[in-house]
Amino acid sequence: MEDLAAWMGLALDEAHAALATGDVPVGSVVLDSTGTVLGRGRNRREADGDPLAHAEVLALREAAATRGHWNLEDATLVVTLEPCVMCAGAILAARVGRVVYGAWDEKAGAVGSVYDVIRDRRLPQRAAVVAGLRADECARLLSDFFAPRRG
């Protein structure tokens, strides 16, 4: 039985861990259909000096390595912030079956806010979406991170 709120808790744990490296606190987990964690990721752009080190991409890479193949069609990706265009493309490339996210990203979101890449019928792959899970908690973590930086 799946517990989406608990799964988001795992993603939030990853987001909190990103704070230690000065990275934007976004966390993600990939789970199989039984709820087993296949991959975890947190933003590591600052830590690794890698512009592609977004939480979702790192979680997808780990999930594919765990599985031994790239196709994650029966998996769920849970992430604290709505994926950006790059991450939405990676999610589709991995054929993830479902995306669950917390906070909306009104500036760069690609799963409903600015764009809706994940459900675009013009593309050959699509994923189911659950939006706004524990949204206030996810958004608060981000606003607390950015508040001192914005002065």
Side-chain angles (χ1 to χ4, degrees):
M1 187 163 129
E2 61 184 40
D3 183 351
L4 295 181
W7 293 358
M8 183 59 77
L10 298 173
L12 280 161
D13 290 344
E14 292 297 321
H16 283 282
L19 293 169
T21 56
D23 278 284
V24 176
V26 176
S28 183
V29 292
V30 177
L31 303 106
D32 70 12
S33 59
T34 69
T36 300
V37 176
L38 300 173
R40 297 174 189 268
R42 60 176 145 315
N43 277 1
R44 294 192 48 88
R45 292 188 323 167
E46 300 300 326
D48 296 350
D50 179 357
L52 305 181
H54 287 209
E56 301 95 322
V57 170
L58 299 177
L60 289 170
R61 285 179 179 159
E62 187 174 295
T66 297
R67 277 267 174 93
H69 58 86
W70 61 268
N71 189 319
L72 302 171
E73 65 188 329
D74 66 336
T76 297
L77 181 137
V78 180
V79 61
T80 58
L81 179 65
E82 178 183 359
C84 68
V85 172
M86 177 187 74
C87 292
I91 290 163
L92 292 178
R95 296 197 177 143
V96 172
R98 179 172 58 171
V99 175
V100 177
Y101 69 87
W104 285 266
D105 185 346
E106 300 294 334
K107 293 182 181 176
V111 188
S113 290
V114 179
Y115 304 102
D116 199 353
V117 174
I118 295 289
R119 294 175 286 200
D120 191 324
R121 297 222 173 266
R122 295 170 293 181
L123 299 174
Q125 302 298 324
R126 284 175 290 289
V129 174
V130 176
L133 183 66
R134 295 176 68 172
D136 291 341
E137 189 176 354
C138 294
R140 189 170 36 260
L141 181 60
L142 290 161
S143 62
D144 289 351
F145 174 80
F146 284 112
R149 289 161 176 78
R150 292 186 176 140

